[in-house]
């Protein structure tokens, strides 16, 4: 399903368990992934620092994959 993804942008992420599982799925399956852009929403359930620490534990199918944080989502509308 996501093996050929190269660039992904996720907006309004609140670090909920289902969102974190989806991010983990993308990172673990997208062999061609170059960049995953994330901007968080207004109803976060954990700190960005805790979320980043969790993201660092996820295995990546692409050695070139970068996770880039864009800040709060409302700033980009």
């Amino acid at each position: 399903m996501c093996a050929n993804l190269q660039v992904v942008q996720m907006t309004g992420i609140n670090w909920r368990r289902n969102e974190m599982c989806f991010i983990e799925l993308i990172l673990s399956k997208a062999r061609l992934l170059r960049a995953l852009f994330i901007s968080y929403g207004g109803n976060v359930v954990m700190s960005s620092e805790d979320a980043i620490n969790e993201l660092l534990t996820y295995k990546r199918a692409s050695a070139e994959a970068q996770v880039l944080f864009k800040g709060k989502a409302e700033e980009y509308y």
Side-chain angles (χ1 to χ4, degrees), residues 5-48:
L5 292 174
Q6 295 181 27
V7 177
V8 176
Q9 180 169 324
M10 301 178 76
T11 303
I13 298 298
N14 290 309
W15 308 126
R16 297 188 190 287
R17 177 62 28 217
N18 61 332
E19 295 168 334
M20 297 299 283
C21 288
F22 185 66
I23 293 169
E24 183 176 23
L25 174 76
I26 290 170
L27 289 173
S28 69
K29 301 294 183 189
R31 295 185 309 255
L32 302 178
L33 189 68
R34 294 188 324 249
L36 170 60
F37 295 96
I38 299 175
S39 58
Y40 61 89
N43 298 313
V44 295
V45 296
M46 74 171 82
S47 72
S48 292

Side-chain angles (χ1 to χ4, degrees), residues 39-67:
S39 58
Y40 61 89
N43 298 313
V44 295
V45 296
M46 74 171 82
S47 72
S48 292
E49 182 179 346
D50 288 342
I52 290 168
N53 286 332
E54 185 171 334
L55 290 174
L56 289 173
T57 67
Y58 295 166
K59 294 183 193 282
R60 298 180 189 199
S62 170
E64 296 179 27
Q66 295 182 343
V67 179

